[in-house]
Amino acid sequence: MNDIIKPGVYRHFKGSLYTVIGECIIADTNPGILGIIYTNDSGDMFVRSLENWVSPVVGFKDGKEYMCERFRYIES
């Protein structure tokens, strides 16, 4: 793995904080898709594809639509 997404704390565009543990290969994909392993503040563990992690999303502020990062790096 290449540490494409560095470990640390990230803010989801909806406001929640998540801690990235590292990268993985999603086993049931062929070819293997790179995944991001992360936890929430309750300690629940999740895996999301790298493609989904870095894809922009549509957010809303003051009733207006805008494009933003799905996850934004906060700290290590």
Side-chain angles (χ1 to χ4, degrees), residues 30-76:
N30 186 16
I33 293 174
L34 189 60
I36 305 301
I37 305 167
Y38 62 104
T39 62
N40 62 12
D41 59 356
S42 299
D44 299 322
M45 190 172 287
F46 305 93
V47 173
R48 184 183 292 252
S49 72
L50 173 64
E51 180 180 1
N52 182 271
W53 184 274
V54 300
S55 65
V57 294
V58 175
F60 293 92
K61 186 172 185 177
D62 299 328
K64 295 186 181 181
E65 186 176 288
Y66 66 98
M67 294 297 291
C68 62
E69 297 173 290
R70 184 179 305 274
F71 290 94
R72 184 172 43 90
Y73 181 76
I74 302 294
E75 64 186 35
S76 59

Side-chain angles (χ1 to χ4, degrees), residues 8-22:
V9 179
Y10 289 75
R11 183 174 305 279
H12 187 264
F13 78 102
K14 292 182 180 177
S16 298
L17 296 177
Y18 296 94
T19 302
V20 168
I21 297 169

